[in-house]
Amino acid sequence: DVQLQASGGGLVQAGGSLRLSCAASGFTFDDYGIGWFRQAPGKEREAVSLISPSDGSRYYLDSVKGRFTISSDNAKNTAYLQMRSLLPEDTAVYYCAAQKGLATKGVDDYDYWGQGTQVTVSS
């Protein structure tokens, strides 16, 4: 069974922090790139941060650079998104996804998706 379980979302005040987790099972985690995506109501799903296997190269959406950090722990088959200095515009459902090989920005490129976790930032 292939599973991606996103967790760690919640309600926080602007300026606060959250750490999202993406627990993977049922596939070879270290062969897959991991993407964190988010989707707000009425908006397109967008890539927030990506990490690729092997070299661990990372991508960040411009609006989250300096505030968010993506990481992975292959021993635990888990990826993380540490979010700091959160803003109301960060409010969205956050999804983790896995893609064989390099992580890319395209939603349609991914093989597996988690269920998403809600992040709400109040002002």
Side-chain angles (χ1 to χ4, degrees), residues 12 41 57 69 80 106:
V12 298
S57 60
T69 303
Y80 305 93

Side-chain angles (χ1 to χ4, degrees), residues 65-123:
K65 286 180 179 176
R67 300 189 296 119
F68 291 11
T69 303
I70 190 170
S71 62
S72 63
D73 184 339
N74 288 345
K76 295 183 176 181
N77 289 345
T78 301
Y80 305 93
L81 186 68
Q82 178 67 56
M83 305 186 295
R84 296 173 287 105
S85 301
L86 283 161
L87 301 168
E89 47 263 48
D90 295 318
T91 295
V93 176
Y94 283 71
Y95 299 88
C96 65
Q99 177 184 202
K100 186 74 174 291
L102 298 175
T104 62
K105 292 187 288 184
V107 169
D108 293 341
D109 297 338
Y110 283 78
D111 299 302
Y112 309 120
W113 288 87
Q115 84 284 8
T117 185
Q118 177 72 48
V119 171
T120 302
V121 185
S122 65
S123 58

Side-chain angles (χ1 to χ4, degrees), residues 21-86:
S21 297
C22 177
S25 62
F27 62 96
T28 305
F29 181 77
D30 57 358
D31 288 341
Y32 283 73
I34 300 296
W36 284 100
F37 293 77
R38 68 185 181 190
Q39 188 167 25
K43 294 187 176 182
E44 296 293 318
R45 192 170 298 189
E46 64 179 349
V48 177
S49 188
L50 314 173
I51 185 166
S52 290
S54 299
D55 65 358
S57 60
R58 300 172 183 183
Y59 160 85
Y60 295 96
L61 185 67
D62 283 347
S63 62
V64 309
K65 286 180 179 176
R67 300 189 296 119
F68 291 11
T69 303
I70 190 170
S71 62
S72 63
D73 184 339
N74 288 345
K76 295 183 176 181
N77 289 345
T78 301
Y80 305 93
L81 186 68
Q82 178 67 56
M83 305 186 295
R84 296 173 287 105
S85 301
L86 283 161

